[in-house]
Coordinates of all heavy atoms in Angstrom, one line a residue:
Chain B
P232 N -19.7 -0.1 -136.1 CA -18.8 -1.2 -136.6 C -19.2 -1.7 -137.9 O -18.4 -2.5 -138.6 CB -18.9 -2.2 -135.5 CG -20.2 -2.0 -134.8 CD -20.4 -0.5 -134.9
L233 N -20.4 -1.5 -138.4 CA -20.8 -2.0 -139.7 C -20.6 -1.0 -140.8 O -20.9 -1.2 -141.9 CB -22.2 -2.5 -139.6 CG -22.5 -3.7 -138.6 CD1 -23.9 -4.3 -138.9 CD2 -21.4 -4.7 -138.6
D234 N -20.2 0.2 -140.4 CA -20.0 1.3 -141.4 C -18.7 1.0 -142.2 O -17.7 0.8 -141.6 CB -19.9 2.6 -140.7 CG -19.8 3.8 -141.6 OD1 -18.6 4.0 -142.1 OD2 -20.8 4.5 -141.9
P235 N -18.8 1.0 -143.5 CA -17.6 0.7 -144.3 C -16.4 1.6 -144.0 O -15.3 1.2 -144.0 CB -18.1 0.9 -145.7 CG -19.6 0.8 -145.7 CD -20.0 1.3 -144.3
E236 N -16.7 2.9 -143.8 CA -15.6 3.8 -143.5 C -14.9 3.5 -142.2 O -13.7 3.6 -142.1 CB -16.1 5.3 -143.5 CG -16.3 5.9 -144.8 CD -16.5 7.4 -144.7 OE1 -15.6 8.1 -144.3 OE2 -17.7 7.8 -144.9
V237 N -15.8 3.1 -141.2 CA -15.2 2.7 -139.9 C -14.4 1.4 -140.0 O -13.2 1.4 -139.5 CB -16.4 2.5 -138.9 CG1 -15.9 1.8 -137.6 CG2 -17.1 3.8 -138.6
I238 N -14.9 0.5 -140.8 CA -14.2 -0.8 -141.0 C -12.8 -0.5 -141.7 O -11.8 -1.0 -141.3 CB -15.0 -1.7 -141.9 CG1 -16.3 -2.1 -141.1 CG2 -14.2 -2.9 -142.3 CD1 -17.3 -2.9 -141.9
A239 N -12.9 0.4 -142.7 CA -11.7 0.8 -143.4 C -10.7 1.5 -142.5 O -9.5 1.2 -142.5 CB -12.0 1.7 -144.6
W240 N -11.2 2.3 -141.6 CA -10.3 3.1 -140.7 C -9.6 2.1 -139.8 O -8.4 2.2 -139.6 CB -11.2 4.1 -139.9 CG -10.3 5.0 -139.0 CD1 -9.8 6.2 -139.4 CD2 -9.8 4.7 -137.7 NE1 -9.0 6.7 -138.4 CE2 -9.0 5.8 -137.3 CE3 -10.0 3.7 -136.8 CZ2 -8.4 5.9 -136.1 CZ3 -9.4 3.8 -135.6 CH2 -8.6 4.9 -135.2
W241 N -10.3 1.2 -139.2 CA -9.7 0.2 -138.3 C -8.7 -0.6 -139.1 O -7.6 -0.9 -138.6 CB -10.7 -0.7 -137.6 CG -11.4 0.0 -136.4 CD1 -12.7 0.3 -136.3 CD2 -10.8 0.2 -135.2 NE1 -13.0 0.9 -135.1 CE2 -11.8 0.8 -134.3 CE3 -9.5 0.1 -134.6 CZ2 -11.6 1.2 -133.0 CZ3 -9.3 0.5 -133.4 CH2 -10.3 1.1 -132.6
K242 N -9.1 -1.1 -140.3 CA -8.1 -1.9 -141.1 C -6.8 -1.1 -141.3 O -5.7 -1.7 -141.1 CB -8.7 -2.2 -142.4 CG -9.6 -3.5 -142.4 CD -9.9 -4.0 -143.8 CE -10.6 -5.3 -143.7 NZ -11.1 -5.7 -145.1
A243 N -6.9 0.1 -141.7 CA -5.8 0.9 -141.9 C -4.9 1.1 -140.6 O -3.7 1.0 -140.6 CB -6.2 2.3 -142.5
K244 N -5.6 1.4 -139.6 CA -5.0 1.6 -138.3 C -4.2 0.3 -137.8 O -3.1 0.4 -137.4 CB -6.0 2.1 -137.2 CG -5.4 2.3 -135.8 CD -4.2 3.2 -135.8 CE -4.6 4.7 -136.0 NZ -3.4 5.6 -136.0
I245 N -4.9 -0.8 -138.0 CA -4.2 -2.0 -137.6 C -3.1 -2.4 -138.5 O -2.0 -2.9 -138.1 CB -5.3 -3.2 -137.5 CG1 -6.1 -2.9 -136.3 CG2 -4.7 -4.5 -137.5 CD1 -7.4 -3.7 -136.2
K246 N -3.2 -2.1 -139.8 CA -2.1 -2.3 -140.7 C -0.9 -1.4 -140.2 O 0.3 -1.8 -140.2 CB -2.5 -1.9 -142.1 CG -1.5 -2.2 -143.2 CD -2.0 -1.8 -144.6 CE -0.9 -2.1 -145.6 NZ -1.3 -1.5 -146.9
E247 N -1.2 -0.2 -139.9 CA -0.2 0.8 -139.4 C 0.5 0.2 -138.2 O 1.8 0.2 -138.1 CB -0.8 2.1 -139.1 CG 0.2 3.2 -138.6 CD -0.5 4.4 -138.0 OE1 -1.7 4.5 -138.1 OE2 0.2 5.2 -137.3
I248 N -0.3 -0.3 -137.2 CA 0.3 -0.9 -136.0 C 1.3 -2.0 -136.3 O 2.4 -2.1 -135.9 CB -0.8 -1.4 -135.1 CG1 -1.7 -0.3 -134.6 CG2 -0.2 -2.2 -133.9 CD1 -2.9 -0.7 -133.7
Y249 N 0.8 -2.9 -137.2 CA 1.7 -4.1 -137.6 C 2.9 -3.7 -138.4 O 3.9 -4.4 -138.3 CB 0.9 -5.2 -138.3 CG 0.1 -6.0 -137.3 CD1 -1.2 -5.7 -136.9 CD2 0.8 -7.1 -136.7 CE1 -1.9 -6.5 -136.0 CE2 0.1 -7.9 -135.7 CZ -1.2 -7.6 -135.4 OH -1.9 -8.3 -134.4
S250 N 2.8 -2.5 -139.0 CA 4.0 -2.1 -139.7 C 5.0 -1.6 -138.7 O 6.2 -1.6 -139.0 CB 3.7 -0.9 -140.7 OG 3.4 0.3 -140.0
I251 N 4.6 -1.2 -137.6 CA 5.5 -0.7 -136.5 C 5.9 -1.8 -135.6 O 7.0 -1.9 -135.2 CB 4.8 0.5 -135.7 CG1 4.5 1.6 -136.7 CG2 5.6 0.9 -134.5 CD1 3.6 2.7 -136.1
V252 N 4.9 -2.7 -135.2 CA 5.2 -3.8 -134.3 C 4.7 -5.1 -135.0 O 3.5 -5.4 -134.9 CB 4.4 -3.6 -133.0 CG1 4.8 -4.7 -132.0 CG2 4.7 -2.2 -132.3
P253 N 5.6 -5.7 -135.7 CA 5.1 -6.8 -136.6 C 4.5 -8.0 -135.8 O 3.7 -8.7 -136.3 CB 6.5 -7.3 -137.2 CG 7.4 -6.2 -137.0 CD 7.0 -5.4 -135.8
D254 N 4.9 -8.2 -134.5 CA 4.3 -9.3 -133.7 C 3.3 -8.8 -132.7 O 3.1 -9.4 -131.7 CB 5.4 -10.1 -133.1 CG 6.2 -9.2 -132.1 OD1 6.1 -8.0 -132.1 OD2 7.0 -9.8 -131.3
F255 N 2.7 -7.6 -133.0 CA 1.7 -7.1 -132.1 C 0.6 -8.1 -131.8 O 0.2 -8.9 -132.6 CB 1.0 -5.9 -132.9 CG 0.0 -5.1 -132.0 CD1 0.4 -4.3 -130.9 CD2 -1.3 -5.2 -132.3 CE1 -0.6 -3.7 -130.2 CE2 -2.3 -4.6 -131.6 CZ -1.9 -3.8 -130.5
G256 N 0.3 -8.2 -130.5 CA -0.6 -9.3 -130.0 C -2.1 -9.1 -130.3 O -2.8 -10.0 -130.7

Side-chain angles (χ1 to χ4, degrees):
Chain B
L233 301 194
D234 182 279
E236 279 191 71
V237 170
I238 295 169
W240 187 90
W241 279 112
K242 274 195 173 168
K244 178 54 74 180
I245 284 164
K246 188 180 176 186
E247 180 192 352
I248 295 174
Y249 278 92
S250 74
I251 298 168
V252 184
D254 61 347
F255 183 72

